[in-house]
Amino acid sequence: MDRHRRPVDTSLWSLRPEFDPGKEECKSGHEAETVVLLSISLVSSPGDGALCQAFFNAIIPDHHAEAFSPPRLAPSGCVDQLVEGLLGGLSRWDAEHFLFIAEHGYLYEHNFAFFPGFPLALLVGTELLRPLRGLLNQRSCLLISVASLNSLFSILAAVALHDLGCLVLHCPRQAFYAALLFCLSPANVFLAAGYSEALFAFLTFSSMGQLERGRGWISGLLFALATGVRSNGLVSVGFLLHSQCRGFFSSLVVSNPLRQFFKLVASVCLSFLTLSLPFALFQYYAYTQFCLSGSARSIREPLVQLAMDKGYRIAEGNEPPWCSWDLPLIYSYIQDVYWNVGFLRYYEFKQVPNFLLAAPVAILVSWATWTYVTTHPWLCLTLGLRRNKNSKTLEKSSLGFLSPQVFVYLVHAVSLLLFGGLCMHIQVLTRLLGSSTPVMYWFPAYLLQDQEPLLRSPEVVPWMPLVEDSPSGQKVLRNSVMGLLYNWKTCSPVTRYILGYFLTYWLLGLLLHCNFLPWT
């Protein structure tokens, strides 16, 4: 069969047009960059953030916040107190919910706002620490699991983002800068603390990379696992749908349109079912606990007393109102009643400081959107499914962030921005976008490469640490953001704004969050 006439497979999990190995530019000659990235990740990742928070937690007294704080039931020894002193700052705010769920399970109604993927990972980590049970109680093991696992997940997420950037941007240096910026993410404290962001970022970036390679089954499985970690993983179904639609339009020229249409419908249905399955199972589990008699677990007396004191609903009490809904979703009920999440509910004058906290990331994604749309108006009008007659020229000239492949990632980022800005607590935008979309790192990397003269130095040996003969005589680290920090005074204004934002939020997040002070 003529290879130019071969029909494109749009079956259930053939989600991308055929992968072209020739475009995978980072796989040949750039292994050294990946090694360097891993090394820098180990230094700048949340593993280092854990040490910083221990210092801040020691010198700054905790703020007495109205946060979830269950009683400690297990006895605490000297080693446990040491672990609490070093890693206790990682258990603030919502992190306490994840630790509580990992230790006691889903006992209170509002615990079901937090998905089970991360608590299950923590339990696996504590099993590896079983030989230390004589020295450590369960909470100490969980804190150690948080610090070690989130450091690991963050490093893996940085490598996955680098790999994804190579596949999509076709610009190895820009992909490398983006991965380095992820190591200095404004959401860094949430990648270090007992939150699910690090695991979610790793699964999401990995699934995107697998989809770019045309490995639909693996990508769908990873997307589903990500949905079991955070609810916004449901939005990722758009990547599967867009890929299926691209395959459908490509196949219309050479295949039976009706047959391809039925394949498209089947693929769409399977994608929805796969990604929504973890969410549906979790909601059903909550229904069995609160709405079916005889399913409730026994709860220890101190935890029952806490529920009475704080007004927390437990399964042994009266049946909650959501059990009688036509579609009994505990998640929607919790977001509405406990967190007051809803359309424009957060638009109050007293929330102005939180809007200011979220402003930088909102401006960044909006700027990225404007830059891309004004560069590729036709591509955006056709939703990336049809390109004009100069599409080949466009693909060759528009590498990096302006690559046509970036379109679907930009739509994903804008969707999260709009939903988060209109329906959620606005301050969570930073960690929502920072752990979900590569655009938050690709666009700043594009700006750095485009606007910063220090990054235009000639190519050198990848493992050479310094470029001595750079313009103006400055020493610039090979492909490293650290080189820009070293020559801060000579950097362009755009570079200062970007790095200033990333580093300021990186530091303030660690300082404030570990002491129960409000942050994003």
Side-chain angles (χ1 to χ4, degrees):
M1 181 184 293
D2 185 358
R3 64 183 180 91
H4 296 291
R5 296 289 295 175
R6 182 173 56 192
V8 178
D9 183 9
T10 57
S11 59
L12 297 183
W13 288 103
S14 298
L15 302 178
R16 279 283 186 194
E18 184 177 359
F19 175 68
D20 182 4
K23 291 185 178 181
E24 196 176 0
E25 300 184 21
C26 288
K27 287 298 180 186
S28 122
H30 295 280
E31 293 82 0
E33 284 192 341
T34 303
V35 174
V36 174
L37 173 62
L38 271 172
S39 302
I40 297 178
S41 298
L42 286 167
V43 176
S44 303
S45 73
D48 189 46
L51 298 178
C52 293
Q53 67 79 29
F55 174 74
F56 293 140
N57 196 30
I59 65 174
I60 300 175
D62 285 348
H63 171 66
H64 295 288
E66 289 294 329
F68 181 61
S69 181
R72 309 284 183 257
L73 303 183
S76 179
C78 296
V79 180
D80 295 313
Q81 294 175 12
L82 177 62
V83 172
E84 186 70 31
L86 292 175
L87 303 177
L90 301 179
S91 65
R92 306 312 192 206
W93 298 108
D94 289 352
E96 196 63 69
H97 286 277
F98 287 110
L99 294 173
F100 179 84
I101 293 167
E103 185 173 2
H104 302 288
Y106 287 90
L107 301 183
Y108 304 134
E109 184 180 51
H110 64 286
N111 289 149
F112 281 86
F114 305 92
F115 280 41
F118 185 60
L120 288 175
L122 293 182
L123 285 178
V124 173
T126 58
E127 284 300 312
L128 298 177
L129 298 173
R130 181 177 289 274
L132 301 178
R133 287 292 175 84
L135 294 174
L136 302 172
N137 61 24
Q138 178 73 353
R139 177 176 173 81
S140 296
C141 291
L142 288 171
L143 287 176
I144 295 174
S145 295
V146 164
S148 55
L149 288 179
N150 273 354
S151 294
L152 174 63
F153 291 145
S154 298
I155 293 170
L156 294 176
V159 175
L161 178 62
H162 176 247
D163 178 66
L164 176 65
C166 292
L167 296 171
V168 176
L169 305 179
H170 307 301
C171 183
R173 297 188 68 177
Q174 204 169 115
F176 189 70
Y177 297 149
L180 291 179
L181 288 173
F182 177 81
C183 297
L184 298 174
S185 172
N188 175 270
V189 65
F190 302 103
L191 300 174
Y195 282 65
S196 57
E197 270 74 5
L199 176 57
F200 182 78
F202 165 56
L203 291 173
T204 300
F205 296 156
S206 298
S207 54
M208 292 172 178
Q210 294 300 318
L211 186 59
E212 289 292 338
R213 287 185 166 87
R215 299 169 183 169
W217 279 103
I218 300 177
S219 176
L221 176 61
L222 291 174
F223 273 131
L225 290 176
T227 303
V229 175
R230 289 185 59 83
S231 61
N232 57 288
L234 291 169
V235 183
S236 300
V237 72
F239 289 100
L240 303 178
L241 300 183
H242 186 265
S243 198
Q244 292 158 356
C245 290
R246 285 184 60 186
F248 171 72
F249 283 108
S250 300
S251 65
L252 287 179
V253 180
V254 293
S255 302
N256 184 337
L258 186 60
R259 179 183 178 185
Q260 294 304 318
F261 176 76
F262 284 123
K263 283 187 176 182
L264 174 64
V265 172
S267 297
V268 168
C269 293
L270 183 56
S271 298
F272 272 111
L273 289 175
T274 302
L275 263 70
S276 61
L277 182 61
F279 180 85
L281 291 176
F282 185 50
Q283 300 307 295
Y284 177 74
Y285 172 70
Y287 183 84
T288 62
Q289 295 298 299
F290 285 89
C291 305
L292 299 181
S293 59
S295 300
R297 297 172 48 191
S298 60
I299 304 177
R300 299 175 68 175
E301 182 59 32
L303 300 179
V304 174
Q305 187 61 45
L306 176 66
M308 296 175 61
D309 295 340
K310 297 292 186 180
Y312 300 152
R313 178 179 280 129
I314 58 178
E316 295 179 352
N318 296 327
E319 184 178 284
W322 57 269
C323 287
S324 59
W325 291 358
D326 293 336
L327 187 61
L329 297 179
I330 188 174
Y331 186 76
S332 301
Y333 176 80
I334 293 173
Q335 294 296 326
D336 178 28
V337 174
Y338 287 88
W339 271 267
N340 193 33
V341 171
F343 183 67
L344 299 183
R345 289 189 186 180
Y346 219 59
Y347 281 67
E348 300 175 335
F349 183 76
K350 65 180 181 181
Q351 302 298 344
V352 169
N354 288 323
F355 276 86
L356 293 177
L357 278 177
V361 70
I363 293 173
L364 186 67
V365 174
S366 300
W367 186 6
T369 305
W370 174 259
T371 301
Y372 195 90
V373 170
T374 54
T375 303
H376 301 310
W378 173 255
L379 183 70
C380 296
L381 285 174
T382 57
L383 302 180
L385 300 177
R386 291 290 184 182
R387 300 173 188 170
N388 57 22
K389 59 183 179 180
N390 296 321
S391 60
K392 291 185 178 180
T393 305
L394 180 146
E395 290 187 13
K396 291 181 179 179
S397 61
S398 301
L399 298 178
F401 174 73
L402 298 179
S403 167
Q405 282 180 257
V406 173
F407 171 78
V408 66
Y409 297 91
L410 190 68
V411 173
H412 175 248
V414 172
S415 300
L416 292 177
L417 175 63
L418 291 176
F419 181 78
L422 297 176
C423 301
M424 297 173 61
H425 293 181
I426 191 69
Q427 67 267 27
V428 306
L429 267 182
T430 302
R431 59 186 173 101
L432 174 70
L433 295 170
S435 62
S436 304
T437 172
V439 170
M440 185 169 170
Y441 307 103
W442 286 347
F443 182 62
Y446 160 76
L447 292 177
L448 290 178
Q449 190 175 24
D450 184 61
Q451 302 288 332
E452 181 50 59
L454 294 179
L455 294 180
R456 298 172 189 166
S457 58
E459 291 288 324
V460 296
V461 180
W463 50 84
M464 183 180 295
L466 294 175
V467 180
E468 299 286 354
D469 56 348
S470 60
S472 306
Q474 297 95 343
K475 292 183 178 181
V476 181
L477 292 172
R478 159 66 171 158
N479 274 351
S480 175
V481 173
M482 295 303 296
L484 301 178
L485 299 177
Y486 184 86
N487 298 285
W488 178 265
K489 293 182 179 180
T490 59
C491 289
S492 67
V494 171
T495 299
R496 293 186 186 183
Y497 293 146
I498 292 174
L499 295 185
Y501 163 54
F502 274 62
L503 289 173
T504 299
Y505 272 54
W506 187 91
L507 182 63
L508 285 179
L510 293 172
L511 190 151
L512 297 175
H513 185 271
C514 66
N515 295 292
F516 273 119
L517 294 167
W519 188 237
T520 63

